PDB file of all heavy atoms in Angstrom:
ATOM      1  N   LEU A 103       1.882  -1.943  -6.764  1.00 97.00           N
ATOM      2  CA  LEU A 103       2.730  -0.720  -6.877  1.00 97.00           C
ATOM      3  C   LEU A 103       3.708  -0.837  -8.162  1.00 97.00           C
ATOM      4  O   LEU A 103       3.949   0.090  -8.827  1.00 97.00           O
ATOM      5  CB  LEU A 103       3.495  -0.393  -5.705  1.00 97.00           C
ATOM      6  CG  LEU A 103       2.994   0.828  -4.802  1.00 97.00           C
ATOM      7  CD1 LEU A 103       3.921   0.986  -3.662  1.00 97.00           C
ATOM      8  CD2 LEU A 103       2.985   2.101  -5.535  1.00 97.00           C
ATOM      9  N   TYR A 133       8.534  -1.499  -6.018  1.00 98.00           N
ATOM     10  CA  TYR A 133       8.523  -0.118  -6.818  1.00 98.00           C
ATOM     11  C   TYR A 133       9.411   0.749  -5.816  1.00 98.00           C
ATOM     12  O   TYR A 133       9.204   0.766  -4.656  1.00 98.00           O
ATOM     13  CB  TYR A 133       7.133   0.308  -6.716  1.00 98.00           C
ATOM     14  CG  TYR A 133       6.745   1.719  -7.059  1.00 98.00           C
ATOM     15  CD1 TYR A 133       6.361   2.015  -8.285  1.00 98.00           C
ATOM     16  CD2 TYR A 133       6.753   2.735  -6.077  1.00 98.00           C
ATOM     17  CE1 TYR A 133       6.145   3.304  -8.800  1.00 98.00           C
ATOM     18  CE2 TYR A 133       6.492   4.074  -6.462  1.00 98.00           C
ATOM     19  CZ  TYR A 133       6.116   4.329  -7.915  1.00 98.00           C
ATOM     20  OH  TYR A 133       5.782   5.676  -8.201  1.00 98.00           O
ATOM     21  N   ALA A 134      10.299   1.436  -6.559  1.00 98.00           N
ATOM     22  CA  ALA A 134      11.348   2.145  -5.722  1.00 98.00           C
ATOM     23  C   ALA A 134      11.476   3.551  -6.222  1.00 98.00           C
ATOM     24  O   ALA A 134      12.237   3.738  -7.241  1.00 98.00           O
ATOM     25  CB  ALA A 134      12.659   1.407  -5.777  1.00 98.00           C
ATOM     26  N   THR A 135      10.914   4.419  -5.477  1.00 98.00           N
ATOM     27  CA  THR A 135      11.275   5.966  -5.787  1.00 98.00           C
ATOM     28  C   THR A 135      12.153   6.361  -4.584  1.00 98.00           C
ATOM     29  O   THR A 135      13.185   7.115  -4.780  1.00 98.00           O
ATOM     30  CB  THR A 135      10.094   6.835  -5.861  1.00 98.00           C
ATOM     31  OG1 THR A 135       9.303   6.729  -4.735  1.00 98.00           O
ATOM     32  CG2 THR A 135       9.271   6.494  -7.026  1.00 98.00           C
ATOM     33  N   SER A 136      11.826   5.991  -3.382  1.00 98.00           N
ATOM     34  CA  SER A 136      12.264   6.602  -2.182  1.00 98.00           C
ATOM     35  C   SER A 136      13.842   6.281  -1.932  1.00 98.00           C
ATOM     36  O   SER A 136      14.345   5.226  -2.342  1.00 98.00           O
ATOM     37  CB  SER A 136      11.655   6.159  -0.922  1.00 98.00           C
ATOM     38  OG  SER A 136      10.313   6.449  -1.084  1.00 98.00           O
ATOM     39  N   ALA A 140      15.503  11.602  -0.235  1.00 97.00           N
ATOM     40  CA  ALA A 140      14.359  11.943  -1.120  1.00 97.00           C
ATOM     41  C   ALA A 140      13.193  11.036  -1.005  1.00 97.00           C
ATOM     42  O   ALA A 140      13.239  10.016  -1.682  1.00 97.00           O
ATOM     43  CB  ALA A 140      14.727  11.999  -2.594  1.00 97.00           C
ATOM     44  N   GLY A 141      12.229  11.346  -0.104  1.00 97.00           N
ATOM     45  CA  GLY A 141      11.024  10.564   0.083  1.00 97.00           C
ATOM     46  C   GLY A 141       9.900  11.287  -0.537  1.00 97.00           C
ATOM     47  O   GLY A 141       9.405  11.072  -1.581  1.00 97.00           O
ATOM     48  N   SER A 142       9.464  12.338   0.188  1.00 98.00           N
ATOM     49  CA  SER A 142       8.405  13.265  -0.213  1.00 98.00           C
ATOM     50  C   SER A 142       8.784  13.927  -1.544  1.00 98.00           C
ATOM     51  O   SER A 142       8.001  14.074  -2.471  1.00 98.00           O
ATOM     52  CB  SER A 142       8.044  14.349   0.782  1.00 98.00           C
ATOM     53  OG  SER A 142       7.699  13.730   2.083  1.00 98.00           O
ATOM     54  N   ASP A 143       9.986  14.325  -1.624  1.00 97.00           N
ATOM     55  CA  ASP A 143      10.457  15.151  -2.795  1.00 97.00           C
ATOM     56  C   ASP A 143      11.034  14.150  -3.813  1.00 97.00           C
ATOM     57  O   ASP A 143      12.212  14.014  -4.063  1.00 97.00           O
ATOM     58  CB  ASP A 143      11.693  16.021  -2.382  1.00 97.00           C
ATOM     59  CG  ASP A 143      12.151  16.955  -3.433  1.00 97.00           C
ATOM     60  OD1 ASP A 143      11.501  16.994  -4.544  1.00 97.00           O
ATOM     61  OD2 ASP A 143      13.136  17.552  -3.250  1.00 97.00           O
ATOM     62  N   CYS A 165      15.572   3.291  -0.442  1.00 98.00           N
ATOM     63  CA  CYS A 165      15.316   2.779   0.868  1.00 98.00           C
ATOM     64  C   CYS A 165      13.858   2.689   1.211  1.00 98.00           C
ATOM     65  O   CYS A 165      13.098   3.312   0.466  1.00 98.00           O
ATOM     66  CB  CYS A 165      16.090   3.566   1.913  1.00 98.00           C
ATOM     67  SG  CYS A 165      15.570   5.313   2.005  1.00 98.00           S
ATOM     68  N   TRP A 166      13.552   1.994   2.317  1.00 98.00           N
ATOM     69  CA  TRP A 166      12.183   1.699   2.732  1.00 98.00           C
ATOM     70  C   TRP A 166      11.327   0.981   1.630  1.00 98.00           C
ATOM     71  O   TRP A 166      10.140   1.279   1.418  1.00 98.00           O
ATOM     72  CB  TRP A 166      11.403   2.956   3.048  1.00 98.00           C
ATOM     73  CG  TRP A 166      12.011   3.919   4.052  1.00 98.00           C
ATOM     74  CD1 TRP A 166      12.527   3.424   5.347  1.00 98.00           C
ATOM     75  CD2 TRP A 166      12.413   5.174   3.921  1.00 98.00           C
ATOM     76  NE1 TRP A 166      12.983   4.641   5.981  1.00 98.00           N
ATOM     77  CE2 TRP A 166      13.048   5.638   5.018  1.00 98.00           C
ATOM     78  CE3 TRP A 166      12.391   6.149   2.986  1.00 98.00           C
ATOM     79  CZ2 TRP A 166      13.482   7.036   5.362  1.00 98.00           C
ATOM     80  CZ3 TRP A 166      12.894   7.458   3.111  1.00 98.00           C
ATOM     81  CH2 TRP A 166      13.357   7.874   4.283  1.00 98.00           C
ATOM     82  N   ILE A 167      11.967   0.042   0.821  1.00 98.00           N
ATOM     83  CA  ILE A 167      11.214  -0.552  -0.267  1.00 98.00           C
ATOM     84  C   ILE A 167      10.515  -1.748   0.163  1.00 98.00           C
ATOM     85  O   ILE A 167      11.169  -2.714   0.506  1.00 98.00           O
ATOM     86  CB  ILE A 167      12.169  -0.816  -1.349  1.00 98.00           C
ATOM     87  CG1 ILE A 167      12.966   0.462  -1.808  1.00 98.00           C
ATOM     88  CG2 ILE A 167      11.499  -1.448  -2.608  1.00 98.00           C
ATOM     89  CD1 ILE A 167      12.089   1.675  -2.124  1.00 98.00           C
ATOM     90  N   THR A 168       9.132  -1.720   0.014  1.00 98.00           N
ATOM     91  CA  THR A 168       8.400  -2.809   0.425  1.00 98.00           C
ATOM     92  C   THR A 168       8.620  -4.028  -0.358  1.00 98.00           C
ATOM     93  O   THR A 168       8.620  -3.964  -1.681  1.00 98.00           O
ATOM     94  CB  THR A 168       6.822  -2.405   0.337  1.00 98.00           C
ATOM     95  OG1 THR A 168       6.607  -1.333   1.038  1.00 98.00           O
ATOM     96  CG2 THR A 168       5.890  -3.572   0.660  1.00 98.00           C
ATOM     97  N   LYS A 211      10.715  -2.197  12.235  1.00 98.00           N
ATOM     98  CA  LYS A 211       9.861  -1.171  12.287  1.00 98.00           C
ATOM     99  C   LYS A 211       8.955  -1.045  13.486  1.00 98.00           C
ATOM    100  O   LYS A 211       8.672  -2.111  14.267  1.00 98.00           O
ATOM    101  CB  LYS A 211       8.870  -1.367  10.950  1.00 98.00           C
ATOM    102  CG  LYS A 211       9.675  -1.351   9.624  1.00 98.00           C
ATOM    103  CD  LYS A 211       8.732  -1.013   8.492  1.00 98.00           C
ATOM    104  CE  LYS A 211       7.630  -2.174   8.243  1.00 98.00           C
ATOM    105  NZ  LYS A 211       8.076  -3.399   8.013  1.00 98.00           N
ATOM    106  N   THR A 219      10.454  -4.564   4.464  1.00 98.00           N
ATOM    107  CA  THR A 219      10.775  -3.194   4.097  1.00 98.00           C
ATOM    108  C   THR A 219      12.399  -3.266   4.113  1.00 98.00           C
ATOM    109  O   THR A 219      13.015  -3.488   5.089  1.00 98.00           O
ATOM    110  CB  THR A 219      10.334  -2.139   5.050  1.00 98.00           C
ATOM    111  OG1 THR A 219       8.940  -2.395   5.293  1.00 98.00           O
ATOM    112  CG2 THR A 219      10.530  -0.770   4.417  1.00 98.00           C
ATOM    113  N   VAL A 368       1.865   4.089   9.735  1.00 98.00           N
ATOM    114  CA  VAL A 368       2.611   4.151   8.388  1.00 98.00           C
ATOM    115  C   VAL A 368       1.630   4.610   7.267  1.00 98.00           C
ATOM    116  O   VAL A 368       2.039   5.075   6.229  1.00 98.00           O
ATOM    117  CB  VAL A 368       3.393   2.879   8.076  1.00 98.00           C
ATOM    118  CG1 VAL A 368       2.569   1.862   7.613  1.00 98.00           C
ATOM    119  CG2 VAL A 368       4.502   3.246   7.059  1.00 98.00           C
ATOM    120  N   ILE A 371       2.236   7.815   6.269  1.00 98.00           N
ATOM    121  CA  ILE A 371       3.566   8.149   5.745  1.00 98.00           C
ATOM    122  C   ILE A 371       3.829   7.581   4.343  1.00 98.00           C
ATOM    123  O   ILE A 371       4.329   8.377   3.442  1.00 98.00           O
ATOM    124  CB  ILE A 371       4.604   7.589   6.654  1.00 98.00           C
ATOM    125  CG1 ILE A 371       4.514   8.201   8.107  1.00 98.00           C
ATOM    126  CG2 ILE A 371       6.124   7.613   6.189  1.00 98.00           C
ATOM    127  CD1 ILE A 371       5.367   7.596   9.216  1.00 98.00           C
ATOM    128  N   TYR A 372       3.558   6.264   4.104  1.00 98.00           N
ATOM    129  CA  TYR A 372       3.998   5.870   2.761  1.00 98.00           C
ATOM    130  C   TYR A 372       2.986   6.275   1.669  1.00 98.00           C
ATOM    131  O   TYR A 372       1.806   6.701   1.897  1.00 98.00           O
ATOM    132  CB  TYR A 372       4.253   4.277   2.769  1.00 98.00           C
ATOM    133  CG  TYR A 372       3.288   3.225   3.163  1.00 98.00           C
ATOM    134  CD1 TYR A 372       1.828   3.529   3.164  1.00 98.00           C
ATOM    135  CD2 TYR A 372       3.581   2.089   3.520  1.00 98.00           C
ATOM    136  CE1 TYR A 372       0.929   2.634   3.560  1.00 98.00           C
ATOM    137  CE2 TYR A 372       2.711   1.085   3.880  1.00 98.00           C
ATOM    138  CZ  TYR A 372       1.350   1.350   3.868  1.00 98.00           C
ATOM    139  OH  TYR A 372       0.414   0.425   4.213  1.00 98.00           O
ATOM    140  N   GLU A 373       3.549   6.139   0.479  1.00 96.00           N
ATOM    141  CA  GLU A 373       2.748   6.579  -0.698  1.00 96.00           C
ATOM    142  C   GLU A 373       2.310   8.065  -0.653  1.00 96.00           C
ATOM    143  O   GLU A 373       1.199   8.530  -1.123  1.00 96.00           O
ATOM    144  CB  GLU A 373       1.578   5.750  -1.117  1.00 96.00           C
ATOM    145  CG  GLU A 373       2.086   4.402  -1.493  1.00 96.00           C
ATOM    146  CD  GLU A 373       1.028   3.586  -2.224  1.00 96.00           C
ATOM    147  OE1 GLU A 373       0.274   4.175  -3.043  1.00 96.00           O
ATOM    148  OE2 GLU A 373       0.896   2.354  -1.996  1.00 96.00           O
ATOM    149  N   GLY A 374       3.165   8.910  -0.025  1.00 96.00           N
ATOM    150  CA  GLY A 374       2.882  10.367   0.075  1.00 96.00           C
ATOM    151  C   GLY A 374       2.249  10.614   1.417  1.00 96.00           C
ATOM    152  O   GLY A 374       1.215  10.174   1.770  1.00 96.00           O
ATOM    153  N   THR A 375       3.018  11.335   2.370  1.00 98.00           N
ATOM    154  CA  THR A 375       2.512  11.628   3.702  1.00 98.00           C
ATOM    155  C   THR A 375       1.212  12.344   3.619  1.00 98.00           C
ATOM    156  O   THR A 375       0.818  12.979   2.626  1.00 98.00           O
ATOM    157  CB  THR A 375       3.636  12.431   4.440  1.00 98.00           C
ATOM    158  OG1 THR A 375       3.689  13.685   3.912  1.00 98.00           O
ATOM    159  CG2 THR A 375       5.030  11.770   4.507  1.00 98.00           C
ATOM    160  N   GLN A 377       0.901  15.190   4.907  1.00 98.00           N
ATOM    161  CA  GLN A 377       1.108  16.638   4.507  1.00 98.00           C
ATOM    162  C   GLN A 377       1.198  16.734   3.059  1.00 98.00           C
ATOM    163  O   GLN A 377       0.690  17.689   2.457  1.00 98.00           O
ATOM    164  CB  GLN A 377       2.491  17.133   5.153  1.00 98.00           C
ATOM    165  CG  GLN A 377       2.423  17.194   6.680  1.00 98.00           C
ATOM    166  CD  GLN A 377       2.337  15.990   7.491  1.00 98.00           C
ATOM    167  OE1 GLN A 377       2.875  15.044   7.095  1.00 98.00           O
ATOM    168  NE2 GLN A 377       1.672  16.120   8.657  1.00 98.00           N
ATOM    169  N   ILE A 378       1.892  15.778   2.441  1.00 97.00           N
ATOM    170  CA  ILE A 378       2.082  15.817   0.931  1.00 97.00           C
ATOM    171  C   ILE A 378       0.671  15.632   0.225  1.00 97.00           C
ATOM    172  O   ILE A 378       0.389  16.300  -0.735  1.00 97.00           O
ATOM    173  CB  ILE A 378       2.950  14.676   0.483  1.00 97.00           C
ATOM    174  CG1 ILE A 378       4.426  15.042   0.908  1.00 97.00           C
ATOM    175  CG2 ILE A 378       2.933  14.615  -1.118  1.00 97.00           C
ATOM    176  CD1 ILE A 378       5.040  16.312   0.516  1.00 97.00           C
ATOM    177  N   ILE A 381      -0.844  19.060   0.097  1.00 97.00           N
ATOM    178  CA  ILE A 381      -0.205  19.838  -0.877  1.00 97.00           C
ATOM    179  C   ILE A 381      -0.854  19.533  -2.227  1.00 97.00           C
ATOM    180  O   ILE A 381      -1.144  20.374  -3.051  1.00 97.00           O
ATOM    181  CB  ILE A 381       1.273  19.653  -0.767  1.00 97.00           C
ATOM    182  CG1 ILE A 381       1.954  20.323   0.497  1.00 97.00           C
ATOM    183  CG2 ILE A 381       1.920  20.364  -2.029  1.00 97.00           C
ATOM    184  CD1 ILE A 381       3.374  19.980   0.764  1.00 97.00           C
TER     185      ILE A 381
HETATM  186  C1  LIG B 402       6.917   0.813   5.844  1.00 92.27           C
HETATM  187  C2  LIG B 402       7.278   1.657   4.656  1.00 92.27           C
HETATM  188  C3  LIG B 402       7.094   1.210   3.372  1.00 92.27           C
HETATM  189  C4  LIG B 402       7.478   1.977   2.241  1.00 92.27           C
HETATM  190  N1  LIG B 402       7.342   1.398   1.090  1.00 92.27           N
HETATM  191  C5  LIG B 402       7.927   2.116  -0.005  1.00 92.27           C
HETATM  192  C6  LIG B 402       8.027   1.545  -1.329  1.00 92.27           C
HETATM  193  O1  LIG B 402       7.652   0.381  -1.613  1.00 92.27           O
HETATM  194  N2  LIG B 402       8.615   2.239  -2.344  1.00 92.27           N
HETATM  195  C7  LIG B 402       9.044   3.642  -2.155  1.00 92.27           C
HETATM  196  O2  LIG B 402       9.530   4.127  -3.070  1.00 92.27           O
HETATM  197  N3  LIG B 402       8.947   4.131  -0.889  1.00 92.27           N
HETATM  198  C8  LIG B 402       8.456   3.516   0.104  1.00 92.27           C
HETATM  199  N4  LIG B 402       8.445   4.035   1.370  1.00 92.27           N
HETATM  200  C9  LIG B 402       8.965   5.366   1.585  1.00 92.27           C
HETATM  201  C10 LIG B 402       7.859   6.436   1.784  1.00 92.27           C
HETATM  202  O3  LIG B 402       7.082   6.480   0.662  1.00 92.27           O
HETATM  203  C11 LIG B 402       8.449   7.767   2.449  1.00 92.27           C
HETATM  204  O4  LIG B 402       8.989   7.371   3.651  1.00 92.27           O
HETATM  205  C12 LIG B 402       7.535   8.894   2.374  1.00 92.27           C
HETATM  206  O5  LIG B 402       7.155   9.289   1.040  1.00 92.27           O
HETATM  207  C13 LIG B 402       8.056  10.064   3.160  1.00 92.27           C
HETATM  208  O6  LIG B 402       9.424  10.376   2.835  1.00 92.27           O
HETATM  209  P1  LIG B 402      10.528  10.565   3.855  1.00 92.27           P
HETATM  210  O7  LIG B 402      10.486   9.420   4.806  1.00 92.27           O
HETATM  211  O8  LIG B 402      11.771  10.932   3.171  1.00 92.27           O
HETATM  212  O9  LIG B 402      10.068  11.852   4.656  1.00 92.27           O
HETATM  213  P2  LIG B 402      10.427  13.374   4.445  1.00 92.27           P
HETATM  214  O10 LIG B 402      10.081  13.643   2.975  1.00 92.27           O
HETATM  215  O11 LIG B 402      11.759  13.637   4.828  1.00 92.27           O
HETATM  216  O12 LIG B 402       9.322  14.182   5.253  1.00 92.27           O
HETATM  217  C14 LIG B 402       9.502  14.262   6.640  1.00 92.27           C
HETATM  218  C15 LIG B 402       8.437  15.146   7.298  1.00 92.27           C
HETATM  219  O13 LIG B 402       8.225  16.414   6.610  1.00 92.27           O
HETATM  220  C16 LIG B 402       7.082  16.533   5.852  1.00 92.27           C
HETATM  221  N5  LIG B 402       7.296  17.256   4.707  1.00 92.27           N
HETATM  222  C17 LIG B 402       8.174  16.980   3.675  1.00 92.27           C
HETATM  223  N6  LIG B 402       7.989  17.956   2.665  1.00 92.27           N
HETATM  224  C18 LIG B 402       7.056  18.700   3.016  1.00 92.27           C
HETATM  225  C19 LIG B 402       6.450  19.950   2.497  1.00 92.27           C
HETATM  226  N7  LIG B 402       6.774  20.404   1.257  1.00 92.27           N
HETATM  227  N8  LIG B 402       5.514  20.612   3.189  1.00 92.27           N
HETATM  228  C20 LIG B 402       5.015  20.179   4.403  1.00 92.27           C
HETATM  229  N9  LIG B 402       5.577  19.024   5.053  1.00 92.27           N
HETATM  230  C21 LIG B 402       6.543  18.348   4.388  1.00 92.27           C
HETATM  231  C22 LIG B 402       6.468  15.196   5.646  1.00 92.27           C
HETATM  232  O14 LIG B 402       5.107  15.081   5.467  1.00 92.27           O
HETATM  233  C23 LIG B 402       7.072  14.466   6.870  1.00 92.27           C
HETATM  234  O15 LIG B 402       6.146  14.792   7.928  1.00 92.27           O
HETATM  235  C24 LIG B 402       7.974   3.276   2.517  1.00 92.27           C
HETATM  236  C25 LIG B 402       8.118   3.813   3.855  1.00 92.27           C
HETATM  237  C26 LIG B 402       7.657   2.975   4.870  1.00 92.27           C
HETATM  238  C27 LIG B 402       7.914   3.489   6.253  1.00 92.27           C
END
Side-chain angles (χ1 to χ4, degrees):
L103 255 180
Y133 170 93
T135 59
S136 301
S142 301
D143 183 11
C165 62
W166 306 301
I167 305 305
T168 300
K211 305 198 296 297
T219 314
V368 78
I371 297 173
Y372 60 23
E373 295 200 37
T375 66
Q377 288 71 34
I378 294 301
I381 292 172

